[in-house]
C-alpha cells in the first residue's frame, strides 16, 4: 500500500519508524530481533535509511596510497527484503543521490519493484567525509528534486511495463496509478544548513513537491512551535501535501552538542538546562530526553498531525516507552 493512501485513509495519528541498516557482520536474525519490540504497536511501515559509499586511502607497500571503497552497512534494499520476509509490513527505503549515478538508481528501482516495494523517500544525501560541499556524481543528480523527477519518470522494469500494458488495455485510461512509486521527501523546519534562508529552502522544498513528491517528513526538532511555523509557511507558498513531523528523543548528554552540529538545529534552553542539571546521571538524562519527546509527541497529536516519524537510530527502548505513552 502506498504511504499516500495510508495518510489519506488515516483518521488518527500513527507512528512512523525509521531504522538504520546494520553494520556488516550483524545477522538477519539480529536485525529482526532488534525491531521486534516495535511490532507490538503494529506499525504501518518501516523506513530504512540509505548510506553513501565512502572511500579510504590505504598505504601500499611501495609507499604510494590507493583508494578503496568502504561499505560499512548492509544496503537498504536488502534490509527491506529481510523485514518483509519476517513481518507483514510495508517498508520504505530511502534512496539518495549521493555517490551514485541516475542509471544505478534506475537499477535500484527495478530491484524495489521486483520486491513489490512501491514507497520511497527521495533524498540528496550529504558530501563524503572530508568533503566540504556536496558534489554530484558524474551522471548523477544534484538535488533531491531531480531525483524525484527521475523516479517519477521511471518506466518500470520490463515486467512492470508488461503488467501495466495489460491493466491499461483493460481500463483504457491513464491515472495517477501510472506512478509506480509513492515518494516522500525531507523538509527542514529550522532550514537546511546550506540554504541562505528559510524562504529559499521552502521554495526548494516546493520544487520537490512540484516534481511529484507526495508528502514531506521533517528533520527532527525539539520545539513544536518551530514545526507549526514551518507548516504554516509551507501552506502559504502552496505546499499542500502532508508534512509528517520527525522526532528523536535525546538519550545521552553528548547529543546536546552533537545533534545541533550534525543536523543544524536548536535545542531549547529549558531542555538543555534540565540535562545539565542531571550532570553525570546517565539514567536521568535518558529519562529527561524521553519525557521531552513524549510531551512533544502528545502535543503534535493534539494538533492533528497525520503521523509522527521517529528517528530510532538503532535504539528501541526509549522509542517503545514513547509509543506506549502516546499511541
Ligand atoms: P535537497 O532537497 O536537494 O536540498 C539540499 C540543499 O539544496 C538545500 O539547502 C536546498 O535548499 C538546496 N536546493 C534544493 N534544490 C535546489 C535547487 N533547485 N537550486 C538551488 N538549491 C537547491 N541522508 C542520507 O544520507 N540517508 C538517509 O537515509 C537520509 N534520510 C533522511 C530522512 C529525512 C526525513 C531527512 C529530513 C533527511 C535525511 N537525510 C538522509 C539527510 C539528507 O540527505 C541531508 O539533509 C541532505 O543534506 C539534504 O538532502 P535533501 O534531500 O533535503 O536535499
Amino acid at each position: 500500500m502506498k504511504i499516500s493512501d495510508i495518510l489519506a485513509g488515516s483518521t488518527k495519528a500513527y507512528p512512523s519508524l525509521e531504522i538504520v541498516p546494520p553494520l556488516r557482520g550483524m545477522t538477519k536474525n539480529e536485525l529482526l530481533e532488534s525491531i521486534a519490540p516495535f511490532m507490538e504497536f503494529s506499525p504501518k511501515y518501516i523506513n530504512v535509511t540509505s548510506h553513501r559509499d565512502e572511500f579510504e586511502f590505504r598505504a601500499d607497500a611501495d609507499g604510494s596510497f590507493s583508494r578503496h571503497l568502504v561499505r560499512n552497512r548492509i544496503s537498504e534494499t536488502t534490509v527491506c527484503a529481510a523485514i518483509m520476509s519476517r513481518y507483514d509490513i510495508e517498508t520504505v527505503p530511502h534512496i539518495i543521490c549521493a555517490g551514485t549515478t541516475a542509471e544505478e538508481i534506475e537499477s535500484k528501482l527495478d530491484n524495489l519493484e521486483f520486491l513489490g516495494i512501491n514507497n520511497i523517500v527521495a533524498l540528496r544525501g550529504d558530501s563524503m567525509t572530508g568533503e566540504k560541499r556536496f558534489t554530484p556524481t558524474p551522471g548523477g543528480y544534484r538535488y533531491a528534486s531531480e531525483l524525484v523527477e527521475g523516479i517519477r519518470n521511471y518506466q518500470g522494469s520490463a515486467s512492470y511495463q508488461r503488467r501495466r500494458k495489460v491493466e491499461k488495455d483493460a481500463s483504457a485510461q491513464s491515472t495517477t496509478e501510472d506512478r509506480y512509486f509513492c515518494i516522500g521527501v525531507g523538509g527542514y523546519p529550522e532550514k537546511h544548513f546550506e540554504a541562505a534562508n528559510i524562504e529559499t529552502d521552502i521554495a526548494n522544498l516546493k520544487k520537490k513537491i512540484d516534481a511529484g513528491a507526495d508528502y514531506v517528513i521533517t528533520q527532527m526538532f525539539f520545539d513544536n512551535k518551530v514545526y507549526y511555523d514551518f507548516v504554516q509557511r509551507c501552506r502559504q507558498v502552496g505546499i499542500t501535501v502532508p508534512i509528517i513531523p520527525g522526532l528523536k528523543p535525546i538519550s545521552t548528554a553528548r547529543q546536546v552538542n552533537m545533534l545541533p552540529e550534525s543536523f543544524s538545529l536548536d535545542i531549547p534552553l529549558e531542555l538543555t538546562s534540565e540535562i545539565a542539571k542531571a550532570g553525570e546521571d546517565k539514567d536521568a538524562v535518558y529519562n529527561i530526553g524521553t519525557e521531552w519527546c513524549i510531551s512533544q509527541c502528545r502535543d503534535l497529536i493534539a494538533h492533528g498531525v497525520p503521523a509522527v516519524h521517529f528517528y530510532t537510530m538503532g535504539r528501541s527502548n526509549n522509542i517503545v516507552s514513547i509509543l506506549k505513552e502516546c499511541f
Side-chain angles (χ1 to χ4, degrees):
M1 192 174 190
K2 290 184 174 172
I3 307 307
S4 47
D5 293 331
I6 294 176
L7 284 164
S10 177
T11 49
K12 83 190 236 286
Y14 65 84
S16 153
L17 301 164
E18 174 180 309
I19 65 162
V20 177
L23 291 169
R24 281 167 190 274
M26 195 192 237
T27 65
K28 176 180 157 188
N29 276 343
E30 284 169 334
L31 162 76
L32 295 174
E33 288 314 309
S34 74
I35 62 169
F38 298 139
M39 295 305 153
E40 185 191 327
F41 302 92
S42 310
K44 295 177 194 291
Y45 52 86
I46 291 203
N47 283 56
V48 183
T49 60
S50 175
H51 298 264
R52 70 175 298 162
D53 293 337
E54 295 280 348
F55 292 91
E56 67 182 21
F57 287 90
R58 293 186 202 144
D60 294 327
D62 63 1
S64 64
F65 284 86
S66 52
R67 197 169 178 251
H68 296 265
L69 178 67
V70 184
R71 277 199 185 116
N72 291 326
R73 292 184 184 274
I74 303 295
S75 83
E76 69 291 330
T77 307
T78 307
V79 172
C80 288
I83 294 173
M84 293 188 309
S85 73
R86 168 82 61 95
Y87 300 110
D88 182 18
I89 189 171
E90 300 285 341
T91 55
V92 186
H94 293 191
I95 300 289
I96 55 172
C97 314
T100 187
T101 65
E103 216 172 21
E104 285 160 348
I105 288 175
E106 186 162 343
S107 152
K108 211 169 241 202
L109 301 184
D110 286 344
N111 284 299
L112 296 179
E113 191 228 317
F114 175 80
L115 288 169
I117 294 172
N118 58 0
N119 291 294
I120 283 175
V121 174
L123 300 140
R124 189 197 68 181
D126 285 314
S127 51
M128 236 181 334
T129 310
E131 257 183 9
K132 276 204 163 154
R133 287 177 167 277
F134 175 81
T135 315
T137 301
Y141 299 115
R142 177 175 291 272
Y143 298 114
S145 55
E146 294 175 0
L147 172 61
V148 171
E149 203 178 329
I151 297 170
R152 272 283 166 261
N153 292 337
Y154 174 69
Q155 293 297 307
S157 64
S159 65
Y160 175 61
Q161 285 181 33
R162 270 198 307 277
R163 199 167 66 239
R164 288 302 304 151
K165 186 168 182 322
V166 173
E167 287 167 12
K168 263 191 176 171
D169 290 348
S171 68
Q173 57 177 306
S174 167
T175 68
T176 51
E177 283 310 303
D178 283 317
R179 301 168 162 195
Y180 181 75
F181 290 104
C182 166
I183 308 173
V185 290
Y188 302 83
E190 292 174 78
K191 174 182 101 56
H192 184 260
F193 70 99
E194 291 167 25
N197 50 60
I198 186 79
E199 289 80 4
T200 310
D201 203 29
I202 290 177
N204 288 330
L205 173 60
K206 186 156 189 303
K207 288 182 191 157
K208 297 193 265 195
I209 309 303
D210 292 344
D214 298 287
Y215 66 101
V216 178
I217 307 175
T218 77
Q219 183 55 280
M220 64 185 80
F221 55 87
F222 294 89
D223 177 355
N224 287 2
K225 188 176 177 304
V226 165
Y227 166 79
Y228 301 132
D229 288 350
F230 175 69
V231 173
Q232 197 181 10
R233 282 174 186 272
C234 288
R235 301 303 181 223
Q236 278 165 358
V237 300
I239 296 174
T240 56
V241 298
I243 301 177
I244 301 177
L247 296 183
K248 181 201 150 16
I250 286 185
S251 54
T252 65
R254 207 171 71 89
Q255 289 173 352
V256 170
N257 296 318
M258 195 269 280
L259 294 175
E261 201 179 297
S262 303
F263 300 106
S264 189
L265 48 81
D266 275 3
I267 302 185
L269 178 62
E270 194 188 336
L271 177 55
T272 56
S273 310
E274 268 194 68
I275 290 173
K277 268 190 237 151
E280 297 298 306
D281 186 342
K282 289 184 180 164
D283 288 345
V285 171
Y286 187 88
N287 292 336
I288 291 166
T290 305
E291 285 303 321
W292 187 274
C293 192
I294 288 171
S295 81
Q296 273 193 283
C297 187
R298 283 188 176 140
D299 180 70
L300 288 165
I301 293 172
H303 276 77
V305 297
V308 182
H309 186 78
F310 292 96
Y311 294 96
T312 72
M313 293 184 169
R315 291 166 194 270
S316 60
N317 288 351
N318 50 359
I319 304 292
V320 165
S321 308
I322 295 159
L323 298 184
K324 273 190 182 140
E325 290 295 325
C326 301
F327 294 94

